[in-house]
Amino acid sequence: MKRMTLIALIALTMIGLFAANQTRLLAKSSPAAVVPTEAGETMLTANQLYEAGQFTQAAQVYQQLVDQGYVGSTLFYNLGNAHYKQGDYGRAIANYRRAQRLDPRDADIEANLALARAQTVDQFEAVDAGGLLSQVGGAVQGWFTIDELAMTTLGAWILFVFLLLLFGSAKAGGAWRKGLQYTLVAGAVVLAVGVLALGSALYVETNPSEGVIVAAEVDVTSGPGVQYLTEFPLHNGAEVNMVEARGNWVRLAVPGGELEGWVPASTIEAVTG
């Protein structure tokens, strides 16, 4: 009876994890995963405009798809390219980074992001100022997407449960049971690492604090209004941390936390959210 209860609890947990992951995948992919004919035609039109050198019009059409809720590394990458060709390096960087979150190992995205960053005036050295979850999450997102981590962690959990059941049914004192014990410990470590990586990535994903300056130049003020003292300027493409929003103003911090202030919300774009 005890073993049947354990198996039932494990099965219910696995079903819950799988359902939660599938819900996340469906929520993230809809409506982009099933792209209707109209959206495909719109994408084709934007691509043709880009190839014809009409970068402003191409960017507008790509942006229409984004505004309609479509997401995808190719869409954001193309939109970033259209902005880059216009010299709008801020919006190019923002969209390249969005593309990179969906496809972190794509060499073209990484190369174009580096090119756009090289054109900016304000280039800040990355500083790991956050806690453990932020640092681990940031590192993990450089290699894996949230969905990949979720599926890998789910697979590790299923493997761990399978090993646990084998261990429970093995004869006490036998060599098979002893070997399973070491394997079970290794599986537990792998599962723990997977849970930490997934949790850290989700923490970073659900705290969209990174932004990019999209104005040609903006004065950072000491308070949320033009009446406040100007602290320092920032230029197109500067990558900062978004700390707080108040009305039409956003408080930002330069990486490292030594400089911070307020800018109009229209001059900055969040990378996520």
Side-chain angles (χ1 to χ4, degrees), residues 28 71-78 94-113 139-148 205 271:
K28 182 174 181 179
V71 297
S73 60
T74 300
L75 174 58
F76 288 129
Y77 175 72
N78 289 350
N95 282 287
Y96 286 147
R97 290 186 59 183
R98 290 165 185 150
Q100 194 172 55
R101 283 177 175 269
L102 298 174
D103 195 354
R105 297 182 297 276
D106 188 280
D108 291 334
I109 296 174
E110 182 178 359
N112 283 22
L113 176 57
V140 167
Q141 282 192 332
W143 292 96
F144 305 101
T145 67
I146 296 292
D147 295 338
E148 289 171 340
E205 184 78 10
V271 174

Side-chain angles (χ1 to χ4, degrees), residues 27-47:
K28 182 174 181 179
S29 61
S30 178
V34 183
V35 180
T37 304
E38 296 80 5
E41 292 176 351
T42 302
M43 187 76 162
L44 179 60
T45 299
N47 292 342

